[in-house]
Amino acid sequence: MNNLSPFPADTKCSPLSASAVIPIRHAVLRQGKPLSTCFFQGDDDAATQHWGAWENGQLIGVASVYAVPRPDAPNEREYQLRGMAILPEHQGKSIGKWLLTALENTLKSNGVERIWCNARTTAVPFYRRLGYASEGNEFEIPEVGPHWRMVKTL
């Protein structure tokens, strides 16, 4: 690791375009489904941010955040995390942790108070390790699977 970034020297995190996240979303989150399922409402909104993790110049992970508060907290300064995906061969190397930390730090510096997501049940332990708390009960997203709402105060 270098002193300027939480990432190892060969790994970088940076903003990217909405279209750049689509191939990773498709490979990890919507494998076998039509590419059209990888385009999310709000992808092109001015407040939406898309970020990528790069290793040796190759895009290996993506995440997007949207200026959307939780449905039951409409007045909060919150962003929703969606489309967090790390290529399978790069999972388990802390890439997701570094990417999410960079996103959280950027949001916090812009006055955002909370970040939340609908996490796949299999990803709940990852989010808990990073300080997220589950909220409510497990629920099903049709054609995607079981999820939990996870929330973190920044």
Side-chain angles (χ1 to χ4, degrees):
M1 285 190 212
N2 61 45
N3 292 331
L4 302 175
S5 167
F7 293 89
D10 60 350
T11 306
K12 307 289 182 228
C13 178
S14 63
L16 40 84
S17 69
S19 62
V21 302
I22 301 304
I24 303 281
R25 282 183 187 170
H26 192 246
V28 179
L29 301 175
R30 300 290 194 267
Q31 191 174 37
K33 293 187 173 29
L35 193 61
S36 61
T37 65
C38 299
F39 294 88
F40 299 161
Q41 182 178 355
D43 273 346
D44 294 320
D45 289 355
T48 298
Q49 298 179 39
H50 304 283
W51 285 70
W54 305 82
E55 185 175 82
N56 296 320
Q58 177 192 3
L59 183 62
I60 60 170
V62 297
S64 302
V65 288
Y66 304 77
V68 175
R70 290 168 291 161
D72 53 347
N75 298 317
E76 299 291 334
R77 293 229 352 114
E78 299 183 334
Y79 266 64
Q80 181 183 13
L81 171 69
R82 292 191 69 193
M84 174 99 182
I86 307 299
L87 290 175
E89 61 270 25
H90 295 281
Q91 292 176 8
K93 297 171 23 178
S94 295
I95 304 297
K97 176 179 117 177
W98 295 323
L99 178 58
L100 192 50
T101 298
L103 264 171
E104 290 172 357
N105 289 341
T106 299
L107 292 174
K108 186 174 182 177
S109 70
N110 289 322
V112 175
E113 297 171 359
R114 255 173 234 87
I115 186 170
W116 68 281
C117 65
N118 292 325
R120 290 174 189 239
T121 298
T122 56
V124 167
F126 165 79
Y127 288 104
R128 283 195 178 132
R129 282 192 304 275
L130 296 178
Y132 286 72
S134 55
E135 192 174 79
N137 298 311
E138 185 179 56
F139 60 95
E140 187 82 15
I141 295 181
E143 298 187 37
V144 179
H147 284 69
W148 284 84
R149 182 181 297 166
M150 305 295 292
V151 181
K152 180 178 182 179
T153 299
L154 300 177

